[in-house]
Amino acid sequence: MMFITNRPSTSTLEITPAVNQAVKDFQRLSVDDQLGLLWGMYQNLGCSLAPTPAGAARLFLTQGLLHQIKQMPSNQQLAMMHGLLRETDTPISRQYGLFTLKTKLAFWTQLFDWMSTGEVSPVAITYPLSSSATLLLRAMASLELNEQISLFHWIVDQMGVAPLAA
């Protein structure tokens, strides 16, 4: 069973019924809970998300955008992250929307690394999840590893705006 979206995917993820339900539950959360949950998933999955290094080409593609974000005040960084999750049409969301899934994963890996060191607003790290988000994070952790990875990939892939979509 595939989760239907109005937007083409840059990947061919297999979405099981359990992942489909988790996607629906994720979409019902507030954007702050979504961001905090994304951090929790990232922490739980660790190196399982990208079995191979991001590669110089992917990092090069993301560096301009990432450094632009790094230079923003904290409140603008948060607004940018919200914009990606809400698929708000902004220059950053459009640029992100052009990335492949692996490049989007490299983007978030670097962003989360910077959150960990305080170079970017650590809002995803410090946000206290609501009870609904906490329950969903526990439910996601009980999924099979490949389902957890597919879910994280789907979330990251759907963010931003696909500027070339009809």
Side-chain angles (χ1 to χ4, degrees):
M1 178 187 214
M2 247 341 231
F3 185 78
I4 305 300
T5 177
N6 292 332
R7 168 169 195 217
S9 176
T10 59
S11 64
T12 55
L13 300 174
E14 289 189 37
I15 306 297
T16 65
V19 172
N20 191 29
Q21 184 59 52
V23 166
K24 289 177 184 178
D25 294 341
F26 179 84
Q27 291 175 321
R28 284 192 272 270
L29 296 173
S30 73
V31 99
D32 287 322
D33 270 344
Q34 289 177 351
L35 189 56
L37 192 66
L38 192 63
W39 167 255
M41 291 176 68
Y42 175 79
Q43 286 297 106
N44 289 343
L45 292 170
C47 62
S48 299
L49 287 172
T52 57
R58 281 189 184 77
L59 292 175
F60 177 77
L61 289 171
T62 63
Q63 287 311 302
L65 185 58
L66 284 164
H67 284 290
Q68 181 183 347
I69 293 164
K70 192 176 183 181
Q71 300 305 313
M72 294 175 175
S74 183
N75 63 333
Q76 287 181 0
Q77 291 171 353
L78 178 59
M80 175 280 309
M81 291 179 230
H82 282 189
L84 287 175
L85 280 159
R86 288 184 181 135
E87 300 175 38
T88 304
D89 191 357
T90 66
I92 288 175
S93 287
R94 286 192 300 274
Q95 185 174 349
Y96 179 89
L98 290 171
F99 293 159
T100 64
L101 173 60
K102 288 182 180 181
T103 304
K104 290 174 181 180
L105 290 169
F107 172 90
W108 279 100
T109 297
Q110 182 63 66
L111 201 58
F112 282 138
D113 285 349
W114 284 346
M115 284 182 198
S116 296
T117 62
E119 295 174 72
V120 170
S121 176
V123 66
I125 298 171
T126 59
Y127 180 77
L129 291 176
S130 69
S131 58
S132 297
T134 301
L135 288 172
L136 182 54
L137 184 59
R138 285 188 197 132
M140 290 172 170
S142 70
L143 296 173
E144 292 181 24
L145 180 60
N146 64 334
E147 290 177 313
Q148 292 179 50
I149 292 169
S150 288
L151 177 59
F152 189 88
H153 286 184
W154 187 92
I155 292 168
V156 166
D157 200 33
Q158 294 303 304
M159 285 188 220
V161 173
L164 303 177

